[in-house]
Amino acid sequence: MKIEILTIFPGMLEGPFGESMIRRAVERGLVEIEIIDLRSFASGRHRQVDDAPYGGGRGMVFKPEPLFKAVETLQERSGGSRARVILLTPQGRTFNQEIARELSGEKRLLLICGRYEGVDERVREVLVDDEISIGDYILTGGELAAAVVVDAVVRLLPGFLEEASVAEESFSGFLLEYPHYTRPPVFRGMAVPPVLLSGDHAAIARWRRKQALLRTRQRRPDLLEKAALSPEDRRLLKEMKL
Ligand code: SAM
């Protein structure tokens, strides 16, 4: 997968992608991440990318010319494979694990990070395939949102994690994950559930499934409605209601 990110603050994204597992994914060739300075597509001595909004009001708006030039140049230079162009915006569809999975199947993503009041509407109308919000709050810019999207997408790429760990974690199958424990077996009087020390793998799997169902019902009952529950899951849920 290739991910290109257009921003006026490239330095903000170097940290998140230059460390830890995302960096390793880049080094292993699972993904190529290119952070591109939008100003390099702006003209004039000051390489201005923004201007005052028509109709008045506070703040500035990203001009269409640099964004059109940037997106068209990037699409053309990559030959046949057209990138899916995503605008990070609080007005987009709310990002979640399903969308991360959907995006992880793309060959190329081109993310546009807004700033100020956002981008000229003609960019949204013509250039953009998809609009994504990372939640119902307003950030100062799209860079942190882009970092969140890229992180969630890259860890789903084949070869990044073991298939099993992706299948079990929260939101896979619309259930939250079961609780985790590690050594020591007793910490400040709090003991690890004995079944986890039993070595009985079937019993451990049953306990984990039950905990996942319980957690989801307590914290995110909305997810349970979408989960594919087996007759045994339904029985466990009924039992826990008593
Ligand atoms: N005036 C815009 C509005 O009310 O919809 C908000 C602009 S915001 C201050 C500046 C930029 O930050 C946006 O263009 C977008 O790229 C990014 N941004 C802010 N909040 C976001 C969110 N929740 N999800 C994704 N991007 C966000």
Side-chain angles (χ1 to χ4, degrees):
M1 175 183 261
K2 165 122 196 209
I3 303 177
E4 290 147 314
I5 306 171
L6 274 170
T7 168
I8 59 166
F9 294 119
M12 277 189 77
L13 290 166
E14 277 154 19
F17 303 141
E19 304 274 349
S20 184
M21 293 176 79
I22 301 294
R23 175 180 165 172
R24 244 180 294 149
V26 171
E27 286 169 354
R28 285 165 57 204
L30 292 179
V31 63
E32 187 185 339
I33 301 176
E34 191 179 353
I35 304 163
I36 302 156
D37 190 347
L38 178 63
R39 285 190 200 283
S40 64
F41 293 93
S43 49
R45 203 155 55 93
H46 299 294
R47 298 202 169 272
Q48 193 182 339
V49 293
D50 57 334
D51 210 334
Y54 276 123
R58 281 167 15 132
M60 300 293 269
V61 176
F62 271 6
K63 290 154 63 68
E65 300 94 324
L67 277 166
F68 269 75
K69 193 168 171 200
V71 172
E72 285 167 359
T73 305
L74 296 172
Q75 294 285 33
E76 274 161 28
R77 83 169 180 187
S78 69
S81 83
R82 203 188 157 277
R84 175 152 161 189
V85 180
I86 298 173
L87 176 67
L88 281 316
T89 163
Q91 301 181 14
R93 54 186 182 138
T94 309
F95 192 58
N96 61 23
Q97 192 69 2
E98 271 178 290
I99 300 177
R101 204 168 285 286
E102 177 192 319
L103 298 183
S104 72
E106 295 280 349
K107 278 208 166 64
R108 274 186 69 210
L109 297 176
L110 171 47
L111 307 186
I112 301 176
C113 305
R115 280 268 149 190
Y116 318 121
E117 290 309 315
V119 304
D120 185 286
E121 190 64 14
R122 291 161 290 188
V123 169
R124 192 197 291 268
E125 283 167 4
V126 175
L127 292 180
V128 169
D129 300 312
D130 201 353
E131 298 176 40
I132 289 182
S133 161
I134 61 159
D136 290 347
Y137 40 80
I138 305 292
L139 302 163
T140 54
E143 289 76 12
L144 295 177
V148 166
V149 169
V150 170
D151 191 285
V153 168
V154 169
R155 65 190 294 289
L156 292 176
L157 292 179
F160 186 91
L161 292 176
E162 274 178 48
E163 279 303 312
S165 56
V166 175
E168 280 186 4
E169 67 194 2
S170 297
F171 306 114
S172 298
F174 300 101
L175 290 182
L176 300 181
E177 201 181 37
Y178 49 80
H180 296 280
Y181 293 88
T182 185
R183 273 183 279 270
V186 181
F187 175 69
R188 296 192 178 176
M190 295 175 281
V192 171
V195 64
L196 296 179
L197 312 177
S198 69
D200 179 343
H201 295 297
I204 292 170
R206 269 198 308 278
W207 180 87
R208 286 181 166 168
R209 185 75 185 172
K210 193 168 172 176
Q211 292 298 318
L213 290 164
L214 185 63
R215 279 221 152 170
T216 312
R217 195 180 66 194
Q218 282 170 341
R219 299 176 185 208
R220 293 292 305 275
D222 57 304
L223 288 178
L224 265 190
E225 287 164 23
K226 298 192 210 162
L229 300 178
S230 67
E232 172 67 3
D233 291 334
R234 293 187 192 284
R235 197 189 60 73
L236 283 172
L237 278 167
K238 234 188 207 157
E239 191 182 289
M240 288 185 282
K241 254 186 199 152
L242 303 175

